[in-house]
Each structure stands twice: as C-alpha cells, then as structure tokens.
Amino acid sequence: MFTSVLMIEKALTSADVEFVTTLHGEEPVSFHVLLQPRGEQADRLLRAIDDVALGEIDEAVREHETPEGEEAKSVGERALEVSLQALRTTGDTADGRLIEDHPLDALKAMVEEVGADEVIVLTDPHYVEEFFHRDWASRARHKVGVPVLKLFSHSKA
C-alpha cells in the first residue's frame, strides 16, 4: 500500500478526489489528510493579491468575509470530514486532522508518524508565496525527506 500525506486548505472537489486517487494507478493508497482552513493560513492582503492576479476582483473585495478563528475551525472540520468521506468512497483509506500550529511542522510530524512515501500539496494558486518560494510545497521539499508533489485544486472554494 502506498502512503500519501495530502495537505489541503478546503474541501476536496470530486475532480480533486479523482485526480489524487488515480495518481498511482491500481495500487491502493492510504491518505493522511492535513487541512488548514483558509482563514488561518495567510493574511487577507496576500489572499486579495492572489484573487486579483487570477482576475477575480469580486473575490478580492470579499476577502474580509473569510472565516477566521473558531468559525474557520468549524468550517475546516466540515471540509475535512467531506474530504475524508470522498476519498473513502474510492476504496482507499483516509484519516486526517486540522492543522492547529505551523503547517510545515504538522506536515513533517505526520510524514514521520505514518511513514509516508510522498506528500501531495493540493491548494488554490498562491502567486505571491509561489513567486518567493514561500508556498507549502516549496518549503516542504526542504523539510520532509520524501517527494513533494504540488497540485492545483480544480475549483475555487
């Protein structure tokens, strides 16, 4: 069985589930999902810049509506459960948890805990962080000791 740590920031779409569950062909996969709610991971300015770069001006204006704190945690818990159920319906195994502290520390700990074969970082584009190589995938490559695959989510949250 192949063991993947999947790092996400929102609920997986059906296209995302199909994408990650078919990466290894017929080999069964055990997914260990880490989810950090969007409201907890970056400040509003960076998110707004990403929205503008994607041509989504309306989204940039609504960044102040992104849940934060306990509200973000509640939204994150629901997104995590939806994602785990979607992965399980494919026949793969899946467990997960919310990230409550620094995401890369949580990622490294999970990789070590489960003996992961790889890390998959599946997020919306974050142009500012990616340009400066400060996105999760770029930073994880130097920290986790296993291959890191960076994928973009198939739809906006």
Side-chain angles (χ1 to χ4, degrees):
M1 180 169 290
F2 203 82
T3 304
S4 292
V5 174
L6 178 59
M7 193 166 186
I8 60 176
E9 61 188 355
K10 63 179 184 176
L12 296 173
T13 66
S14 58
D16 293 333
V17 171
E18 182 178 356
F19 196 31
V20 298
T21 59
T22 59
L23 287 172
H24 299 290
E26 298 298 317
E27 185 171 2
V29 179
S30 175
F31 288 99
H32 302 275
V33 181
L34 289 173
L35 184 141
Q36 183 174 29
R38 188 169 190 216
E40 294 292 313
Q41 72 170 320
D43 72 302
R44 289 182 184 140
L45 178 60
L46 289 177
R47 293 192 316 258
I49 291 170
D50 288 337
D51 291 335
V52 170
L54 289 168
E56 297 175 357
I57 306 302
D58 291 341
E59 290 295 321
V61 172
R62 287 194 295 269
E63 279 301 335
H64 71 282
E65 298 171 4
T66 300
E68 296 191 9
E70 283 302 311
E71 186 181 354
K73 186 175 180 182
S74 175
V75 170
E77 288 169 346
R78 288 191 305 272
L80 179 60
E81 189 54 39
V82 165
S83 299
L84 294 175
Q85 287 299 332
L87 290 167
R88 291 175 188 143
T89 62
T90 68
D92 292 313
T93 62
D95 62 44
R97 59 182 169 239
L98 292 182
I99 297 172
E100 296 185 16
D101 294 317
H102 192 276
L104 293 178
D105 291 341
L107 179 61
K108 183 177 181 184
M110 175 73 82
V111 166
E112 292 171 357
E113 178 184 327
V114 302
D117 297 304
E118 71 179 355
V119 168
I120 301 170
V121 177
L122 180 70
T123 65
D124 289 330
H126 297 290
Y127 294 114
V128 174
E129 291 96 337
E130 290 166 24
F131 179 79
F132 291 106
H133 303 285
R134 302 302 301 157
D135 59 296
W136 287 342
S138 296
R139 293 171 27 204
R141 287 185 178 105
H142 304 288
K143 190 163 187 146
V144 297
V146 297
V148 177
L149 178 61
K150 178 180 179 177
L151 302 173
F152 291 121
S153 179
H154 281 77
S155 70
K156 292 289 285 177

